[in-house]
Amino acid sequence: MKNYDLIVCGGGMVGAALAAALGDTALRIAVIDLYKPKLRWPKDSWGIRTCAITRASQHILENVGAWEYMVSRRVHPYSEMHVWDSTGTGAVHFSAADVGEPNLGHIVENRVIQAALLKRLKELSNVDILCPARISALEWGEEQVTVTLEDGEVLTTALLVGADGRDSWVRSQAGITTQGWEYDQTAVITVVRTERHHRDTAWQRFTPEGPLAFLPLGEGRSSIVWSVNPQHAECLLSLDDATFMTELEQAFEHTLGSVTEMAERGAFPLRLQHAKNYIKPRLALIGDAAHAIHPLAGQGVNLGLADAATLAEVISDALQQKRDIGSMRVLRRYERWRKSDNIAMMAAMDGFKRLFGSELPPVRWGRNLGLTLTDTIPPVKKHFIHHAMGMAGHLPRLACR
Ligand SMILES: Cc1cc2nc3c(=O)[nH]c(=O)nc-3n(C[C@H](O)[C@H](O)[C@H](O)COP(=O)(O)OP(=O)(O)OC[C@H]3O[C@@H](n4cnc5c(N)ncnc54)[C@H](O)[C@@H]3O)c2cc1C
């Protein structure tokens, strides 16, 4: 039997960030994942799963020792954002210059974030990476959780963290239920190259069916997140490349000219989901295991990284005060801190999704006016930019420079 202080189930971006944040502490940590992430891939290939990483998340990734390697692999800063409504004239343009920043954030392939975090974990002597591995049973005791792996190995831990994504196995084993609903939308994703350069701008066109985003990458490429109804998604996935590219150009009103190259396509059904509790004795949920939101403002992993940074801070403080890191007294601080921020962001994203999905004339009129007003009133614009950059609210220490 091997004894740990912390076992993280799920070594995705969020789980790995938590372990990295607690690297170089006295804690013995294990990270368990079903899969072994790839560290290398052909230089000319593009991962179709990408994330818009906010400034707050950039600070977290810097402070846990992953950012420098990410930059050496590939990240793309964007300095402008342009959002418009397909049903009217309302549009808003955000610029990094409006808030005196060099950029608004970065678009990064998920695999780059994953590889950088894994590389960092490998450097840490207090972290064991167990993957590929699967937990077959959990036994909740007063002082510890006993974790049995499928190969028969038995581990114990003072705290188990569920970072195993939106269909979290740990969450269901802990009997924690979720609330939420299906969006009746599927995000079709790919990476394209366009005739005209994206000008380091994140573009988003809202249609009643769903938003279409072109997010800037290197070499004039853009990451596409096209949210449509599930039948339309199926149809888009079945098209040959040339026809899909033509459909995409039309849906984007030829804003960047024609689409000249395209990677493979993928699809993700979208849902809003929130765990009723983030904690129970000796357990905490972080990232998508705790909350899944619509990707329209690219906030999902940013919320997850804030969870990881906050939980790391709560655990570090508890260690200093010689408290039991798996106790409810310690974990309640994490839940209180993150739940309110996450609910506020989820409500905002859900509200935007509904607002832009409505075809009622008064709603259309109101949202177009809202976009125009946001664009023309500098304090309102700055407020939005600070929120979008993750710099508002009660930030954990790791999210500060
Ligand atoms: C189309 C799309 C676009 C998006 N764009 C953005 C964006 O621009 N910005 C943004 O912030 N967010 C974005 N998101 C959201 C973001 O991808 C997620 O919030 C993020 O991936 C969550 O990270 P996670 O580590 O919590 O979970 P996951 O990424 O789901 O990772 C979970 C990990 O747990 C492992 N695992 C699963 N089950 C088990 C098990 N039983 N045992 C062990 N390991 C297990 C998996 O192998 C995986 O490694 C987007 C999402 C979608 C669908």
Side-chain angles (χ1 to χ4, degrees):
M1 187 177 310
K2 238 178 159 180
N3 303 316
Y4 288 99
D5 302 301
L6 172 66
I7 292 183
V8 185
C9 179
M13 295 181 280
V14 173
L18 172 67
L22 292 167
D24 290 334
T25 61
L27 295 174
R28 287 152 303 160
I29 302 172
V31 178
I32 301 174
D33 202 290
L34 299 177
Y35 308 102
K36 206 174 174 150
K38 269 193 185 168
L39 285 175
R40 304 256 144 228
W41 48 85
K43 234 184 161 175
D44 58 354
S45 77
W46 291 82
I48 60 169
R49 289 212 66 179
T50 64
C51 276
I53 293 296
T54 61
R55 182 72 79 251
S57 292
Q58 177 186 339
H59 290 157
I60 293 171
L61 292 162
E62 280 167 359
N63 287 324
V64 304
W67 184 256
E68 206 179 314
Y69 184 70
M70 285 168 57
V71 172
S72 78
R73 293 296 293 268
R74 199 155 60 190
V75 302
H76 195 85
Y78 61 99
S79 47
E80 315 277 322
M81 190 189 296
H82 190 79
V83 177
W84 74 104
D85 185 342
S86 68
T87 67
T89 53
V92 59
H93 190 90
F94 298 112
S95 170
D98 292 338
V99 285
E101 290 280 339
N103 57 61
L104 294 170
H106 292 78
I107 308 297
V108 191
E109 292 154 85
N110 289 10
R111 64 186 186 178
V112 168
I113 305 174
Q114 189 76 63
L117 287 166
L118 186 67
K119 180 177 173 291
R120 178 68 187 133
L121 293 186
K122 284 184 169 174
E123 292 162 1
L124 297 168
S125 57
N126 64 327
V127 179
D128 290 342
I129 304 165
L130 311 179
C131 64
R134 182 188 287 272
I135 303 176
S136 58
L138 295 174
E139 205 186 303
W140 307 92
E142 286 258 314
E143 307 284 317
Q144 62 186 30
V145 185
T146 306
V147 173
T148 307
L149 300 183
E150 239 174 26
D151 66 4
E153 193 174 357
V154 179
L155 318 170
T156 67
T157 182
L159 174 63
L160 174 68
V161 171
D164 49 346
R166 70 179 194 173
D167 298 318
S168 171
W169 179 84
V170 170
R171 187 184 64 222
S172 69
Q173 291 297 306
I176 297 178
T177 54
T178 60
Q179 292 169 314
W181 44 83
E182 298 295 328
Y183 271 130
D184 198 32
Q185 271 185 2
T186 296
V188 175
I189 62 168
T190 185
V191 168
V192 300
R193 208 205 289 252
T194 47
E195 189 184 8
R196 284 202 289 279
H197 195 269
H198 47 56
R199 304 197 296 280
D200 302 327
T201 302
W203 305 86
Q204 181 134 262
R205 176 179 187 250
F206 278 96
T207 75
E209 195 189 350
L212 167 58
F214 273 57
L215 308 171
L217 292 169
E219 298 173 9
R221 288 170 206 270
S222 300
S223 167
I224 305 300
V225 183
W226 190 1
S227 303
V228 292
N229 70 54
Q231 301 75 27
H232 190 184
E234 241 173 72
C235 165
L236 289 174
L237 292 171
S238 69
L239 296 176
D240 61 70
D241 282 6
T243 316
F244 179 88
M245 283 151 77
T246 309
E247 293 267 325
L248 182 60
E249 285 160 26
Q250 281 167 3
F252 198 51
E253 297 173 337
H254 300 274
T255 305
L256 296 177
S258 55
V259 174
T260 55
E261 264 180 56
M262 190 178 75
E264 75 272 17
R265 281 162 263 174
F268 292 87
L270 302 177
R271 93 171 75 118
L272 179 138
Q273 181 176 281
H274 193 228
K276 278 199 178 153
N277 307 96
Y278 290 7
I279 57 167
K280 68 173 234 178
R282 313 226 157 270
L283 171 83
L285 300 176
I286 60 174
D288 276 20
H291 44 76
I293 63 172
H294 198 290
L296 67 89
Q299 289 295 338
V301 83
N302 293 299
L303 295 182
L305 291 171
D307 293 348
T310 303
L311 184 57
E313 181 167 328
V314 166
I315 291 174
S316 301
D317 291 352
L319 283 178
Q320 272 194 353
Q321 293 153 5
K322 305 216 172 340
R323 291 201 175 136
D324 175 359
I325 62 166
S327 67
M328 288 300 270
R329 190 174 169 198
V330 167
L331 296 176
R332 260 192 212 107
R333 186 173 160 226
Y334 159 69
E335 184 180 59
R336 267 200 306 269
W337 187 340
R338 288 306 305 155
K339 222 177 188 179
S340 50
D341 280 7
N342 289 336
I343 288 175
M345 183 61 82
M346 293 176 92
M349 292 311 105
D350 194 55
F352 277 129
K353 194 251 160 208
R354 286 169 196 281
L355 179 67
F356 283 96
S358 173
E359 296 195 76
L360 290 173
V363 179
R364 270 170 43 192
W365 178 82
R367 74 180 175 231
N368 276 283
L369 180 68
L371 284 174
T372 308
L373 287 177
T374 305
D375 199 47
T376 46
I377 306 175
V380 177
K381 212 172 186 179
K382 276 190 184 165
H383 174 83
F384 267 101
I385 297 177
H386 275 121
H387 270 85
M389 292 177 79
M391 299 312 291
H394 181 193
L395 298 181
R397 290 192 289 264
L398 287 174
C400 304
R401 188 178 294 276

